[in-house]
Amino acid sequence: MDADTLRQFVKFSQEGDLSSLQQQLTTGGPEAVQTARCKHYGRSGDTLLHYASRHGHRDVVEFLIRTVGMDVEVYNNDYKRPLHEAASMSHRACVSFLLQEGAKVDSLKKADWTPLMMACTRRDLAVIQELLQHRADPALRNKDGWNCFHVACREGDPLVVQHLLLVAPDVWRTESKTRRTPLHTAAMHGCEEVMSILVERCGYSPDSRDSCGVTPFMDAVRNGHVSVARLLLEKHQASPTAADVLGSRPVHQVAVTGQEGALRFLVQELHVDINQRATNIQLTALHYAAKEGHTSMMKTLLELGADLHARDNKGRTALHMASIGQHPEAVRTLLQLGLPDCQDASGTTARQLAVRPRVVQAFESPTDTS
């Protein structure tokens, strides 16, 4: 078949133009039908059935399966079946028809994602219910160890989360391969309604830790979700000062991510010590903010009482960290605030750590605002 005809096949399938597709196949005869049945397109390896399913054209899907004779389990280069496509885009009519035609409800695409997991990336309970009614297994896990409940908690639809708990009461008892729970996931994404459900109905232990030692409370504050962090404190007895495996605590983590509102919450409401040290190399929050180049966060830290002259266990000040991170504005700000360029324990000055020309210039012209 010529390239123009093939493009027409794809166009009609994507747009749901069934009559034009039928006419094109009739005109092209058996060769055209054979091509439509077997052809995979582009780098993705999609078929016409993938296109029609992705765009929700149920009549085209039916025509391709029942008249053209396409395999309901045909897969592309990522091993995605038409059912994955329909489920991921919340096309219930296509999902229902594909299942009726014998599509495997728990087929796996690349990375071991099932259609149910794909459906949970959308806030469409009807499609999820359709898959579950056809005995989709909510406990199946993908290559990262996530099941559909992790995905639903990330998306944050309380109705979906409640329904999954209803049909599979133990589905929350899962961890990813990095030991992250759905509670971590919901906290990280600020899904407050879902967090309330998880805290009330699921048996997560306070301050459950992933493989890096991160707790849900840490996930909440370092992403700026103060209301979620407050919920974990009030209803889940979370610790605002727990340390991860590297010894950093929430006050350090918000400095890294530049979450000034979360910093004020920790210091002003929870009275967390702004100068507490990370247990590994005794870094303060000011060190972390300087290394990341967060000049506004540095000023907020100092406003709240951070020690400008604090040193870590290698004798480094925040100025050393700003220079290590190659952040000229942070260097200039610290110099303007009165932090001198002194030596660390090895005799190295912050100026000697500067590599980029703009960082070197910041030391030479600390008052330059250009």
Side-chain angles (χ1 to χ4, degrees):
M1 303 295 295
D2 63 85
D4 286 340
T5 300
L6 295 176
R7 281 193 289 270
Q8 290 294 309
F9 285 169
V10 172
K11 179 177 182 290
F12 297 148
S13 297
Q14 289 177 327
E15 295 179 355
D17 189 346
L18 178 57
S19 62
S20 295
L21 181 60
Q22 289 172 322
Q23 182 179 356
Q24 193 89 354
L25 291 176
T26 300
T27 302
E31 181 187 357
V33 173
Q34 177 65 16
T35 300
R37 183 186 302 121
C38 302
K39 175 68 176 175
H40 291 257
Y41 296 84
R43 296 177 63 183
S44 67
D46 285 336
T47 67
L48 299 183
L49 189 53
H50 285 88
Y51 293 128
S53 299
R54 182 182 305 146
H55 290 276
H57 303 307
R58 194 260 190 211
D59 55 346
V60 177
V61 169
E62 179 176 351
F63 170 73
L64 290 171
I65 292 173
R66 292 187 173 175
T67 302
V68 176
M70 293 194 69
D71 181 2
V72 72
E73 282 294 292
V74 64
Y75 54 84
N76 67 9
N77 293 340
D78 287 330
Y79 299 99
K80 290 174 75 173
R81 275 72 169 176
L83 184 60
H84 286 101
E85 298 286 3
S88 68
M89 300 303 291
S90 295
H91 297 309
R92 185 182 183 184
C94 288
V95 167
S96 179
F97 179 76
L98 290 165
L99 290 169
Q100 174 187 321
E101 292 298 302
K104 295 178 182 177
V105 72
D106 285 328
S107 56
L108 301 180
K109 79 169 190 71
K110 191 174 182 179
D112 294 341
W113 279 66
T114 67
L116 180 58
M117 293 175 196
M118 303 292 287
C120 286
T121 65
R122 301 274 179 167
R123 297 188 172 201
D124 193 322
L125 181 57
V127 172
I128 292 167
Q129 289 174 322
E130 185 76 25
L131 291 163
L132 289 169
Q133 287 166 6
H134 283 79
R135 299 188 178 181
D137 186 352
L140 290 178
R141 302 199 298 171
N142 65 18
K143 73 173 184 64
D144 295 317
W146 279 40
N147 65 14
C148 66
F149 197 64
H150 278 96
V151 180
C153 289
R154 181 189 68 187
E155 298 307 315
D157 188 329
L159 294 179
V160 171
V161 169
Q162 288 173 328
H163 187 74
L164 288 172
L165 287 171
L166 176 66
V167 299
D170 290 330
V171 72
W172 64 272
R173 298 179 186 273
T174 183
E175 292 181 346
S176 72
K177 290 186 177 179
T178 55
R179 297 179 54 194
R180 291 182 63 77
T181 67
L183 191 67
H184 284 90
T185 302
M188 177 180 181
H189 291 274
C191 303
E192 188 172 355
E193 289 184 87
V194 167
M195 288 293 294
S196 295
I197 296 169
L198 298 181
V199 168
E200 178 182 346
R201 297 183 56 179
C202 306
Y204 295 112
S205 60
D207 297 321
S208 56
R209 298 171 183 273
D210 67 13
S211 59
C212 294
V214 173
T215 67
F217 181 85
M218 293 178 191
D219 271 326
V221 292
R222 69 184 183 179
N223 286 284
H225 305 307
V226 173
S227 61
V228 171
R230 188 176 284 113
L231 183 154
L232 286 165
L233 288 171
E234 296 173 354
K235 297 185 178 180
H236 206 53
Q237 295 77 52
S239 169
T241 58
D244 65 17
V245 295
L246 296 178
S248 66
R249 305 176 189 276
V251 71
H252 305 122
Q253 293 162 355
V254 299
V256 169
T257 56
Q259 295 292 344
E260 295 180 46
L263 175 68
R264 292 186 182 278
F265 166 67
L266 290 169
V267 176
Q268 295 178 323
E269 292 190 38
L270 304 184
H271 308 294
V272 169
D273 179 7
I274 201 169
N275 290 308
Q276 66 180 215
R277 305 298 184 113
T279 57
N280 53 354
I281 53 177
Q282 299 296 297
L283 295 172
T284 66
L286 185 61
H287 283 92
Y288 282 105
K291 186 176 181 181
E292 298 299 323
H294 296 317
T295 55
S296 179
M297 171 61 81
M298 292 190 314
K299 292 176 182 178
T300 301
L301 283 161
L302 292 168
E303 172 198 330
L304 295 174
D307 180 2
L308 178 64
H309 300 278
R311 293 172 179 257
D312 67 8
N313 66 352
K314 295 183 179 180
R316 298 175 299 188
T317 66
L319 189 60
H320 286 88
M321 304 309 290
S323 192
I324 289 171
Q326 304 300 309
H327 298 298
E329 290 306 315
V331 166
R332 188 173 289 112
T333 297
L334 290 166
L335 290 170
Q336 291 171 350
L337 289 169
L339 183 59
D341 183 13
C342 53
Q343 295 180 337
D344 64 14
S346 69
T348 304
T349 65
R351 168 65 180 77
Q352 290 172 318
L353 296 170
V355 175
R356 296 179 181 174
R358 289 187 63 197
V359 183
V360 175
Q361 184 184 7
F363 280 97
E364 296 172 350
S365 306
T367 59
D368 180 11
T369 58
S370 62

